[in-house]
Amino acid sequence: MGAAMRRIHVGNALGAFGLGFTVPYLYVYVAQVRDLGATTAGLVLAVFAVAALVVLPFAGRAIVRRGALPVLLTALVTAAVGSLSLGLASSATTVLLSAVALGAGQAVTQPALATMIVDCSRAESRSRAFATQFFLQNLGLGVGGLIGGHLVDATRAGSFVLLFSIQAAMFLLLVGVMATVRMPRAPKVEGVPTGATAKGSWKQLLGNRAMVQLCVLGFVLFFACYGQFESGLSAYGVEAAGISTSALGTALAANTAVIVIAQFAVLRFVERRRRSRVIAAVGLIWAVAWGVAGFAGLGQTSQTMATAAFVSTYALFGLGEAMLSPTVAPLVADLAPEGMAGQYNSAFALVKQLALAVGPAVGGPMGASLHAPYIVAFLLFSLGITVLALRLGRQLSDVQDQPASGRSRVVARGGAASRKSGVVRA
């Protein structure tokens, strides 16, 4: 691992640590501490999603034209300003404007960092690089949330000002770390669309059938998992399974623990297997998770068994997440034409944000009141992941689907096979 990649990973951990400080407490801060009510708090959460959906289509083009690092630094400064102003805001207008800045800045950092990882890694090390990123993100979020929970006090607005100030400081510290990164010289991309012709880059992306199928698959992945964690699934657990708030916290901790503990063991397992089949296996694992959740809420069992089953559901989701982290993001990079990784990463981040916006809106009401239909629907979504992944595999070259096979042929044939594989470099 080179110096640039080490700094990128440190930056990922710092950013996640800062987010862990504030994300779990944002609703309480706006609704109760600032006394702006549940409606304004709900609007703030919606603004985060809307801001991301607005800026991400432009972020990819900016990354391609200007480079990932300048875009990242701009996004981090914007997020820092938004975080600090959110901590100091006292009216609904200033809170919403601050949320726009914070949400937009956070959204752009995702594809920018992903593109930097692509630019600083080789195909054979990319899966490990993204697995390390996911590991550090979860570790940072967990540690940040734990420390933030001990600092926050709903009766003292000053404690929340401290939280948002620490988050802003983390963003600015991340600016300092990232500014020292020496990026490799990016390839020149001829004919990058500008102005009114920018639609051409999106037309090119939409003409890539494998990328379109991956985006559809990504939407279902994020809709059926991440979009349910703190909405539909938690509502289902409370209403159908009688899960306590402390047990919900335990379930989320179990999810993080599985990712942190299993990530690199899982990496060794998936590196030598076809990516499409790994994703298909995740769909089956998540289908089992939804079945276990159904047992927790719909089965005639004791409260202890229901709680254990519900915690196991989150743990199984964590196992699937650990399998996806070294699989999906590197595949996005491998599908991108040379120099266009920023555009493809931004497009996939846009799909993710859309799924995270729609998921709670659909799953929340279902999980709270339509218990059996909720479980059946999302179990079917998980099986749909398996079907979509296997269909995607038919669109991929051998090296795109299983990079290890390409490396083996390079060793065996002196590199001839890699030139015949048809893989598009990222």
Side-chain angles (χ1 to χ4, degrees):
M1 185 187 300
M5 186 64 75
R6 285 196 295 271
R7 287 179 171 86
I8 292 170
H9 286 322
V10 168
N12 269 303
L14 288 173
F17 179 76
L19 288 178
F21 261 81
T22 60
V23 170
Y25 316 109
L26 189 58
Y27 184 91
V28 173
Y29 169 70
V30 176
Q32 298 179 14
V33 177
R34 292 303 183 188
D35 198 25
L36 296 175
T39 300
T40 302
L43 285 174
V44 167
L45 296 175
V47 159
F48 275 96
V50 172
L53 293 176
V54 170
V55 300
L56 282 171
F58 303 99
R61 196 187 322 157
I63 292 170
V64 171
R65 294 180 62 193
R66 306 296 182 188
L69 183 56
V71 173
L72 174 64
L73 297 179
T74 302
L76 290 171
V77 171
T78 302
V81 171
S83 179
L84 185 59
S85 59
L86 188 59
L88 299 174
S90 57
S91 68
T93 301
T94 53
V95 163
L96 290 171
L97 290 174
S98 301
V100 168
L102 179 56
Q106 288 177 352
V108 175
T109 62
Q110 298 177 34
L113 281 168
T115 304
M116 290 176 68
I117 290 175
V118 172
D119 291 342
C120 293
S121 64
R122 298 185 300 274
E124 58 269 22
S125 62
R126 198 163 289 154
S127 292
R128 184 166 294 273
F130 278 104
T132 302
Q133 177 200 34
F134 191 65
F135 168 83
L136 291 173
Q137 281 179 341
N138 279 273
L139 186 62
L141 283 170
V143 173
L146 181 63
I147 296 176
H150 285 85
L151 293 177
V152 73
D153 182 351
T155 64
R156 292 190 304 110
S159 66
F160 285 87
V161 174
L162 175 62
L163 287 187
F164 284 103
S165 298
I166 292 174
Q167 183 185 46
M170 288 297 103
F171 284 129
L172 293 177
L173 179 59
L174 182 50
V175 168
V177 172
M178 291 294 101
T180 66
V181 175
R182 293 192 175 186
M183 297 294 296
R185 186 177 297 276
K188 291 287 185 181
V189 184
E190 299 297 334
V192 175
T194 59
T197 63
K199 294 179 181 178
S201 61
W202 285 99
K203 184 177 179 180
Q204 179 187 13
L205 188 151
L206 293 173
N208 186 329
R209 290 187 62 186
M211 183 61 189
V212 171
Q213 288 192 22
L214 180 58
C215 285
V216 172
L217 174 59
F219 180 88
V220 179
L221 282 168
F222 291 110
F223 174 81
C225 177
Y226 299 93
Q228 304 307 313
F229 271 4
E230 296 175 3
S231 58
L233 189 55
S234 59
Y236 168 84
V238 172
E239 299 294 339
I243 302 300
S244 65
T245 54
S246 61
L248 279 177
T250 302
L252 287 168
N255 174 266
T256 302
V258 168
I259 293 170
V260 170
I261 294 171
Q263 182 64 84
F264 292 103
V266 167
L267 176 64
R268 288 193 292 271
F269 173 79
V270 304
E271 276 186 319
R272 295 279 176 185
R273 286 162 177 81
R274 290 187 175 273
R275 288 166 168 169
S276 58
R277 294 179 184 176
V278 170
I279 301 172
V282 170
L284 296 178
I285 292 171
W286 285 357
V288 172
W290 285 109
V292 174
F295 171 77
L298 305 175
Q300 301 298 318
T301 185
S302 66
Q303 189 58 54
T304 301
M305 286 293 294
T307 300
F310 194 75
V311 172
S312 298
T313 298
Y314 275 79
L316 286 168
F317 275 120
L319 178 60
E321 292 174 75
M323 294 170 66
L324 289 176
S325 62
T327 306
V328 175
L331 180 54
V332 173
D334 287 349
L335 289 174
E338 188 171 10
M340 296 295 289
Q343 183 82 45
Y344 277 59
N345 283 324
S346 294
F348 197 76
L350 179 63
V351 169
K352 175 182 177 180
Q353 289 296 330
L354 185 61
L356 293 179
V358 175
V362 174
M366 287 187 68
S369 57
L370 303 174
H371 302 147
Y374 177 68
I375 293 297
V376 172
F378 281 88
L379 191 152
L380 292 176
F381 275 122
S382 296
L383 294 177
I385 290 170
T386 299
V387 174
L388 289 171
L390 293 176
R391 289 186 61 188
L392 173 63
R394 294 196 286 270
Q395 296 292 326
L396 303 176
S397 70
D398 287 342
V399 177
Q400 287 169 337
D401 201 17
Q402 190 176 13
S405 66
R407 294 197 298 272
S408 298
R409 288 195 294 271
V410 169
V411 173
R413 305 180 188 178
S418 66
R419 292 190 293 272
K420 297 177 182 177
S421 65
V423 67
V424 182
R425 292 177 56 205

